[in-house]
C-alpha cells in the first residue's frame, strides 16, 4: 500500500529503552540530557509555536500539537514540547509576538524576522551549543549548503539554524500536459513555444474549455517566461555587471506580448484574473483544461484529485519548457533556505533542541534498518514528517540522492540501494501506482517513478547546468523586505491589464516606470550595495 494507515500509534507504545536500543550509536544520542529547568521527574518543558499543516493526516485523537513526534520527544528524551499557538497566519501572529516580546522558547522565523530579532538582541547565539551537540549528520547538512549556514550568522555568530531544503532538484519547472488527450490526438512532445500553443488549440478544438490553466497571481504563467529568456522575480547580473530585477527586463515584455495574443485566442483561462490557486486547480480536476505550467509536485496537488475524479488515464506528464526558437529554456534557480530555527535569549535548554534536531535527521536518513517499519511509517507517512515545525533540519542533498536510488531500483528491480525510509516510500508508491493506479500514490510516481517524471527532467537540468541562479544568494536586504509585496503588486496588476488587453504591450514601459518610482530604484541600489556591485 502506498499510504499505510495501520498501527500508527505503535511506535509511541514502545518503551524508551527499546527505542534507545534501536537507535544505538546514532547521532540522535549525542548531547546531554541534563537540564537546569527540568522538573523533579527530570522532564524538560519546551514551548514553541507553529503554523497549520492541513495536508497531514493524523490517527484519531492526534493533531498538530499532540502527535507521534511530540510523544516521541517525551518518551525518548523526556522532553515535553508545548505548542502555545497554531495559526494559518503564522508570520503575522509571530510578528505580533516579536513586537510584544512574548516569545516561545523555540520557533521558526523567516529571514526578515531573523534579522529583526538579532538586532533587538532577542535570540541566543547558538554557535557553541550547535558545535558541541549537533550530530555529524546535522553538521554535514550545513557543510553541504554552506551559503545557507552562513546566512544564519551575524558577525560570525550563529543565531539562526537554517532549516535547509529538499535540494535544488525541486526547483526546475515544467509544462504539464494531459496524456490521454495528447495521445488521442497523436500530438508530439512540445519542442517550442509554438508547439505549446498548438497543443492548447488542439485540446480546445477537441474538448472545449480553454488551453492553459493559470491563476490571478500570475505565478504559474510566469513559469513559462523562461521560454523568452525572462526570469521574473529573480535578481541577476546584466551586461554591465549590475544586478537588475528580472520582472522589469525587456525579455519580460516579449513574453507578455505573446500571452496577450493567447488570451485573445482563448488559450489562457478567460477568468484567470478572478481565480485563485484552488479555483485554478479545480478546473484541472473537473477536466476543463489539459495544460498547466507547474512545479515538480503537480502529482500531489492537483494530481491526486485529478486521478481520483477523472481516472488514471487523465494523468498529466511534465515536459521541459522550450524556448521560442526550439531549445530547452534556461531554468530559474532561487536561494532555497527561507526559514531558521531560533531560541529566545535566556532559554536554558538549547542542547535539548539540538538533540531533537539530531533525532529528526537520524529518523529521515538513518532510521531505515534501525527502526521498525511501523515506527517509520507513523513518523513519516501521511505528511506527518512535516508537522514538526521548528524541530527539523532537512538534508539539502536528500531528494537528488533519493531520486538516483529510486530510479535505479525501479529499473533494475534491485532494492538494495534503498537506504532511507524516504527512498522506500517513493519506490513503494511508484510501484503501487503502476500496479494498482492508486490515486494517493500519483505524487511520488510523477515526481520520481513514472517513465516521464519531474525529477528525471530536473536532474538533466542540474547536471547540464542549464539554469540561472539568482544573484540574491542569501538573506534578502532589509530595504527590499520592507516593501513587502508592494512592488510586485504593481507588476502583477499591470501585467494582467496587458494580458487581458485593457492596455497595449507598450504599457509595459509605464509599469516599469511606476515600479521604479514606487521604490524599485531604491531596492535595486540596496541589492547592488549588499552584494558589492
Amino acid at each position: 500500500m502506498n499510504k499505510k494507515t495501520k498501527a500508527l500509534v505503535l511506535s509511541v507504545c514502545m518503551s524508551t529503552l527499546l527505542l534507545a536500543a534501536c537507535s544505538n550509536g546514532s547521532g540522535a544520542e549525542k548531547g546531554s540530557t541534563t537540564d537546569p529547568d527540568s522538573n523533579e521527574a527530570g522532564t524538560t518543558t519546551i514551548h514553541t509555536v507553529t503554523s497549520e499543516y492541513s495536508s497531514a493526516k493524523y490517527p484519531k485523537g492526534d493533531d498538530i500539537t499532540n502527535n507521534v513526534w511530540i510523544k516521541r520527544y517525551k518518551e525518548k528524551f523526556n522532553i515535553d514540547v508545548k505548542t502555545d499557538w497554531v495559526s494559518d497566519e503564522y508570520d503575522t501572529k509571530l510578528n505580533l509576538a516579536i513586537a510584544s516580546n512574548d516569545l516561545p522558547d523555540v520557533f521558526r522565523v523567516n529571514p526578515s524576522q531573523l534579522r529583526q530579532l538579532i538586532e533587538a538582541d532577542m535570540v541566543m547565539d547558538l554557535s557553541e551549543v550547535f558545535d558541541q551537540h549537533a550530530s555529524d549528520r546535522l553538521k554535514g547538512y550545513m557543510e553541504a549548503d554552506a551559503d545557507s549556514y552562513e546566512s544564519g550568522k551575524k558577525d560570525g555568530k550563529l543565531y539562526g539554524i537554517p532549516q535547509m531544503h529538499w535540494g535544488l532538484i525541486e526547483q526546475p519547472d515544467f509544462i504539464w500536459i494531459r496524456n490521454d488527450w495528447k495521445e488521442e490526438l497523436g500530438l508530439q512532445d512540445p519542442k517550442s513555444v509554438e508547439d505549446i500553443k498548438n497543443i492548447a488549440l488542439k485540446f480546445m478544438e477537441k474538448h472545449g474549455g480553454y488551453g492553459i490553466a493559470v491563476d490571478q497571481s500570475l505565478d504559474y504563467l510566469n513559469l513559462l517566461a523562461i521560454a523568452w529568456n525572462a526570469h521574473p522575480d529573480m535578481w541577476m547580473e546584466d551586461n554591465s555587471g549590475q544586478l537588475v530585477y528580472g520582472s522589469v527586463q525587456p525579455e519580460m515584455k516579449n513574453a507578455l506580448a505573446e500571452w496577450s495574443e493567447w488570451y485573445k485566442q482563448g488559450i489562457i483561462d478567460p477568468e484567470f484574473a478572478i481565480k485563485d490557486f484552488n479555483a485554478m486547480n479545480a478546473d484541472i480536476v473537473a477536466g476543463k483544461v489539459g495544460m498547466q505550467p507547474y512545479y515538480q509536485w503537480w502529482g500531489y496537488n492537483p494530481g491526486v484529485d485529478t486521478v481520483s475524479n477523472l481516472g488514471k488515464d487523465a494523468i498529466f506528464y511534465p515536459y521541459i519548457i522550450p524556448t521560442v526558437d526550439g531549445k530547452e529554456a534556461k531554468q530559474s534557480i532561487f536561494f532555497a533556505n527561507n526559514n531558521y530555527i531560533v531560541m529566545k535569549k535566556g532559554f536554558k535548554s538549547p542542547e535539548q533542541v539540538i538533540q531533537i534536531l539530531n533525532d529528526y535527521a537520524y529518523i529521515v536518513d538513518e532510521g531505515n534498518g534501525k527502526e521498525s517499519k511501523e515506527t517509520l511509517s507513523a513518523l513519516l507517512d501521511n505528511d506527518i514528517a512535516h508537522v514538526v515545525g521548528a524541530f527539523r533540519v532537512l538534508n539539502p542533498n536528500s531528494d537528488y540522492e533519493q531520486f538516483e536510488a529510486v530510479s535505479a531500483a525501479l529499473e533494475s528491480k534491485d532494492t538494495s540501494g534503498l537506504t532511507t525510509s524516504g527512498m522506500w516510500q517513493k519506490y513503494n508508491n511508484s510501484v503501487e501506482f503502476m500496479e494498482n493506479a492508486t490515486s494517493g500514490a500519483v505524487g511520488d510516481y510523477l515526481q520520481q517513478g513514472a517513465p516521464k517524471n519531474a525529477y528525471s527532467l530536473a536532474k538533466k537540468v542540474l547536471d547540464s547546468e542549464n539554469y540561472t541562479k539568482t544573484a540574491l544568494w542569501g538573506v534578502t536586504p532589509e530595504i527590499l523586505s520592507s516593501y513587502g509585496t508592494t512592488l510586485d503588486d504593481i507588476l502583477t496588476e499591470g501585467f494582467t491589464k496587458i494580458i487581458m488587453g485593457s492596455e497595449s504591450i507598450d504599457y509595459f514601459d509605464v509599469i516599469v516606470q511606476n515600479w521604479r518610482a514606487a521604490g524599485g530604484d531604491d531596492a535595486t541600489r540596496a541589492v547592488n550595495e549588499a552584494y558589492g556591485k
Side-chain angles (χ1 to χ4, degrees):
M1 297 291 290
N2 64 311
K3 295 288 186 183
K4 299 180 179 65
T5 57
K6 60 181 181 179
L8 292 179
V9 296
L10 181 60
S11 65
V12 298
C13 297
M14 299 174 73
S15 72
T16 301
L17 287 176
L18 177 58
L19 285 167
C22 288
S23 57
N24 184 35
S26 77
E29 301 306 311
K30 194 169 182 176
S32 169
T33 58
T34 303
D35 189 316
D37 275 355
S38 59
N39 61 20
E40 292 182 356
T43 302
T44 299
T45 299
I46 297 175
H47 288 264
T48 191
V49 294
T50 193
S51 53
E52 298 275 8
Y53 198 83
S54 59
S55 295
K57 295 177 175 56
Y58 303 96
K60 186 177 181 180
D62 282 8
D63 58 32
I64 198 166
T65 68
N66 176 37
N67 56 62
V68 65
W69 284 101
I70 301 291
K71 295 167 186 173
R72 178 178 174 85
Y73 306 149
K74 181 65 180 295
E75 294 180 2
K76 185 168 185 179
F77 303 116
N78 203 16
I79 297 173
D80 193 7
V81 170
K82 301 287 188 184
T83 305
D84 293 345
W85 52 259
V86 182
S87 176
D88 59 359
E89 295 184 357
Y90 179 87
D91 283 341
T92 300
K93 193 170 179 65
L94 183 60
N95 285 338
L96 292 174
I98 293 171
S100 60
N101 196 17
D102 182 19
L103 299 177
D105 300 321
V106 184
F107 51 108
R108 170 181 59 81
V109 298
N110 62 36
S112 178
Q113 291 163 337
L114 173 64
R115 183 187 305 107
Q116 180 183 354
L117 288 163
I118 294 173
E119 291 175 354
D121 195 26
M122 294 170 69
V123 290
M124 294 180 65
D125 172 7
L126 301 172
S127 306
E128 185 174 337
V129 70
F130 189 83
D131 183 60
Q132 292 183 357
H133 296 280
S135 65
D136 291 341
R137 176 166 292 278
L138 190 57
K139 290 178 179 175
Y141 295 173
M142 304 301 155
E143 293 171 359
D145 187 353
D147 289 332
S148 289
Y149 184 51
E150 291 299 318
S151 72
K153 294 180 178 179
K154 182 176 176 58
D155 299 330
K157 298 177 180 178
L158 180 69
Y159 292 94
I161 301 171
Q163 289 200 295
M164 295 295 184
H165 46 85
W166 297 111
L168 298 184
I169 197 171
E170 282 199 327
Q171 293 208 29
D173 308 310
F174 310 101
I175 179 73
W176 291 78
I177 301 176
R178 181 166 167 170
N179 194 57
D180 55 349
W181 289 4
K182 178 171 173 287
E183 290 192 342
E184 176 188 23
L185 294 167
L187 302 174
Q188 299 298 309
D189 295 353
K191 302 297 184 186
S192 67
V193 170
E194 189 69 12
D195 289 346
I196 291 176
K197 172 185 171 183
N198 288 333
I199 291 172
L201 291 171
K202 291 288 186 183
F203 281 2
M204 293 163 61
E205 180 181 349
K206 179 69 176 180
H207 297 284
Y210 58 92
I212 297 177
V214 298
D215 74 356
Q216 61 192 193
S217 73
L218 298 184
D219 288 349
Y220 300 90
L221 188 55
N222 279 340
L223 300 183
L224 287 181
I226 57 175
W228 290 266
N229 197 31
H231 295 274
D233 304 328
M234 173 177 284
W235 290 90
M236 52 195 185
E237 197 170 280
D238 67 5
N239 292 332
S240 69
Q242 292 291 294
L243 301 184
V244 296
Y245 195 48
S247 298
V248 296
Q249 300 310 302
E251 291 82 0
M252 195 68 209
K253 187 174 182 178
N254 298 332
L256 289 166
E258 180 74 12
W259 295 343
S260 67
E261 292 299 318
W262 287 5
Y263 183 82
K264 291 177 186 174
Q265 298 176 63
I267 293 174
I268 290 178
D269 180 0
E271 298 180 339
F272 82 91
I274 58 172
K275 286 184 177 176
D276 61 12
F277 172 82
N278 290 326
M280 171 184 67
N281 280 348
D283 279 0
I284 296 286
V285 175
K288 295 180 179 178
V289 58
M291 300 179 77
Q292 187 176 32
Y294 212 76
Y295 308 113
Q296 52 83 16
W297 46 274
W298 187 96
Y300 301 96
N301 184 16
V304 172
D305 289 340
T306 301
V307 172
S308 294
N309 192 49
L310 302 175
K312 65 180 179 59
D313 292 337
I315 196 170
F316 284 45
Y317 283 123
Y319 297 87
I320 284 183
I321 296 170
T323 64
V324 290
D325 55 356
K327 300 176 183 176
E328 293 182 356
K330 191 177 287 293
Q331 295 275 343
S332 302
I333 299 292
F334 292 86
F335 184 66
N337 182 77
N338 293 311
N339 293 295
Y340 301 83
I341 303 159
V342 297
M343 305 182 206
K344 75 175 180 181
K345 195 154 191 178
F347 175 51
K348 295 183 178 178
S349 305
E351 70 278 4
Q352 308 288 58
V353 176
I354 303 298
Q355 190 175 43
I356 294 177
L357 298 180
N358 291 340
D359 185 59
Y360 186 89
Y362 157 72
I363 284 294
V364 172
D365 277 358
E366 299 180 66
N368 186 59
K370 296 179 180 178
E371 301 285 347
S372 71
K373 291 182 179 179
E374 289 80 7
T375 296
L376 295 177
S377 175
L379 291 167
L380 303 175
D381 285 356
N382 298 314
D383 271 359
I384 298 296
H386 296 285
V387 305
V388 295
F391 297 103
R392 76 171 183 184
V393 175
L394 302 175
N395 178 357
N397 290 326
S398 173
D399 275 9
Y400 192 98
E401 296 170 355
Q402 186 183 80
F403 168 70
E404 288 190 314
V406 170
S407 57
L410 288 170
E411 183 176 352
S412 67
K413 311 301 180 187
D414 177 4
T415 59
S416 60
L418 303 179
T419 58
T420 71
S421 56
M423 292 176 184
W424 273 107
Q425 177 179 310
K426 301 290 183 181
Y427 175 84
N428 287 334
N429 282 349
S430 295
V431 173
E432 176 66 22
F433 188 82
M434 286 186 278
E435 294 182 348
N436 301 312
T438 303
S439 59
V442 70
D444 289 342
Y445 174 73
L446 283 177
Q447 186 191 66
Q448 303 196 17
K452 295 176 181 176
N453 66 75
Y455 274 8
S456 66
L457 300 179
K459 183 176 184 298
K460 179 181 179 184
V461 170
L462 296 184
D463 290 350
S464 65
E465 298 185 353
N466 189 30
Y467 56 78
T468 295
K469 292 171 69 174
T470 181
L472 216 65
W473 205 256
V475 176
T476 302
E478 185 175 3
I479 189 170
L480 193 56
S481 301
S482 70
Y483 286 109
T485 63
T486 301
L487 294 177
D488 283 336
D489 288 346
I490 291 172
L491 301 178
T492 301
E493 181 181 351
F495 291 175
T496 299
K497 289 179 179 177
I498 292 175
I499 294 167
M500 297 183 71
S502 60
E503 297 285 355
S504 74
I505 187 61
D506 291 335
Y507 185 63
F508 178 82
D509 302 324
V510 176
I511 298 169
V512 173
Q513 287 303 316
N514 291 341
W515 178 86
R516 294 180 60 184
D521 279 348
D522 290 340
T524 301
R525 279 192 292 271
V527 169
N528 276 278
E529 289 174 2
Y531 283 83
K533 299 291 185 179

